[in-house]
Amino acid sequence: MDNVSTEVKMESFQAFQSVIRKSENALANMAQKESNTTLLDKRLKALYIGLAMLETAWNLKPYHYSEADLTEARHVLTGLFPLLEKMNGKSKTGSPQKTLIERRIKAFELAVQAMDELLKNSN
């Protein structure tokens, strides 16, 4: 986690912030339609935790999540990898969409790595 470039750090923060904004908007729309939001709530919590883990690892910000929260967030984020990989495979090389998906994948990988390190050090 220490040898990540400043550029990758910024792209990772931006990737998380972007997907969080999109998820918050989707959640608001779903709530208006009285749709079931359980899955999106769970994903959004994992995204908040993932972003917090990057901030903890790189900016030394304290976090307030339990080991159970970290474990659940890790599970949710890793569960998104197959979907992201599938989307990445369908997007055109060099397209903005492919770049965005690749940055999200990298950001999620780094967040999971930060969680793994925190969980390992807490035991």
Side-chain angles (χ1 to χ4, degrees), residues 1-67:
M1 292 297 298
D2 294 333
N3 57 357
V4 177
S5 73
T6 302
E7 181 180 1
V8 171
K9 288 178 183 179
M10 291 305 300
E11 289 172 352
S12 295
F13 285 134
Q14 290 169 351
F16 264 102
Q17 291 163 347
S18 170
V19 74
I20 286 170
R21 270 192 315 275
K22 288 177 188 260
S23 297
E24 288 172 340
N25 290 337
L27 187 62
N29 289 336
M30 290 174 71
Q32 284 180 338
K33 296 176 185 174
E34 298 182 11
S35 300
N36 185 348
T37 60
T38 306
L39 178 62
L40 191 52
D41 286 328
K42 196 176 196 178
R43 284 184 179 172
L44 195 51
K45 182 178 178 183
L47 294 169
Y48 289 137
I49 293 172
L51 178 59
M53 292 302 95
L54 294 182
E55 290 176 337
T56 297
W58 295 329
N59 297 337
L60 304 177
K61 285 192 176 182
Y63 66 95
H64 59 276
Y65 297 104
S66 68
E67 191 173 319

Side-chain angles (χ1 to χ4, degrees), residues 5 8 15 26 37 39 43-44 68-69 72-73 91 93 99 103 119:
S5 73
V8 171
T37 60
L39 178 62
R43 284 184 179 172
L44 195 51
D69 287 335
E72 177 65 20
S91 56
T93 303
T99 301
R103 287 180 182 169
L119 289 168

